[in-house]
Amino acid sequence: MNEKYPFELEKLPYGYDALEPVIDKQTMEIHHDKHHQAYVDNLNKLLADKPEMQGQTLEELMKSEVQAIKNNAGGVWNHNFYWQEMIKPDNGHITDLLLTKLEKNFESVDKFMEQFEKQALGRFGSGWAWLVEKGDGSLEIMSTANQDNPLDLGLIPLLGIDVWEHAYYLKYQNRRGEYVKAWWQVVNWDFVEKGLK
Ligand code: MN
């Protein structure tokens, strides 16, 4: 994720239909090929006449004071992360180290999921809900607006759900809660654990 200008769209690590029936093929096609591609294209356009910024990594660009650069760099990073943290339904299980951490920080996996869902549903408009690791190794649940990212606050994202309507509307329409609950089936817990310090 530390490549530089000109940015390229990362390929999906699986087929468009791999996450069926939780996330349908058409949603994946539009989400990846249109929405994610647009963030890549917009970011490249914004940087085309700014040679002084072309050496910056995506993570540096996400901190830009130019709002459009920040938004589009965040859009590229967040979607790269989103594709990687998912796996074919019911192929992931919570690994021991992560389980211990979740229980320590949230009492139980159920309570963790409950709080995460609450943040995902409570995010007004477009944005993301996240499980993050703080500098002291503790875990926290939060949400961000638009394409903002916990890295902005010095927090390490471990898991993030896209709750922009484009992520679920074709299949779930206005029922964001159904999407969020179904989404647990496609979480790649190995990926989440690998993010721990
Ligand atoms: Mn999205």
Side-chain angles (χ1 to χ4, degrees):
M1 294 197 197
N2 276 319
E3 76 274 32
K4 291 173 186 169
Y5 174 89
F7 293 94
E8 283 178 16
L9 180 64
E10 269 193 22
K11 286 206 179 101
L12 283 181
Y14 34 68
Y16 292 103
D17 60 354
L19 307 179
E20 292 259 14
V22 176
I23 303 180
D24 58 289
K25 184 171 179 248
Q26 196 188 8
T27 295
M28 290 297 286
E29 286 170 347
I30 297 173
H31 201 173
H32 179 266
D33 296 3
K34 305 292 180 193
H35 290 278
H36 195 183
Q37 180 75 62
Y39 292 119
V40 173
D41 293 344
N42 289 337
L43 182 59
N44 285 334
K45 263 184 232 155
L46 286 159
L47 294 172
D49 61 354
K50 294 183 184 63
E52 73 282 5
M53 294 183 81
Q54 290 173 1
Q56 292 187 20
T57 64
L58 206 46
E59 293 190 2
E60 287 168 331
L61 292 165
M62 284 158 69
K63 293 179 184 136
S64 173
E65 283 167 15
V66 182
Q67 193 65 43
I69 291 179
K70 177 184 167 66
N71 289 346
N72 285 287
V76 176
W77 194 103
N78 290 348
H79 288 86
N80 286 346
F81 189 81
Y82 183 66
W83 311 132
Q84 287 177 49
E85 70 184 356
M86 296 190 287
I87 193 170
K88 275 174 100 63
D90 304 318
N91 273 271
H93 61 275
I94 301 182
T95 38
D96 290 348
L97 173 65
L98 184 63
L99 182 65
T100 309
K101 279 238 175 197
L102 289 173
E103 287 175 346
K104 190 176 165 205
N105 287 271
F106 307 106
E107 285 181 45
S108 67
V109 172
D110 283 351
K111 287 215 166 109
F112 152 67
M113 288 180 168
E114 200 178 293
Q115 282 186 45
F116 188 91
E117 288 172 15
K118 203 173 156 196
Q119 286 288 327
L121 289 176
R123 167 50 53 192
F124 184 77
S126 299
W128 295 70
W130 303 93
L131 170 68
V132 300
E133 185 172 26
K134 293 165 77 175
D136 63 5
S138 63
L139 305 186
E140 210 170 76
I141 295 164
M142 63 178 296
S143 83
T144 57
N146 306 313
Q147 296 296 355
D148 292 354
N149 186 288
L151 288 168
D152 299 345
L153 306 166
L155 303 165
I156 308 293
L158 299 174
L159 180 69
I161 184 170
D162 188 345
V163 294
W164 285 57
E165 283 188 342
H166 67 226
Y168 61 87
Y169 202 84
L170 286 180
K171 183 177 167 81
Y172 298 93
Q173 289 87 44
N174 60 318
R175 303 182 305 278
R176 185 190 285 187
E178 272 182 38
Y179 156 66
V180 173
K181 276 203 185 296
W183 188 73
W184 294 118
Q185 296 170 53
V186 294
V187 171
N188 181 351
W189 295 105
D190 283 338
F191 176 86
V192 179
E193 182 171 301
K194 281 197 187 98
L196 290 166
K197 269 192 307 205

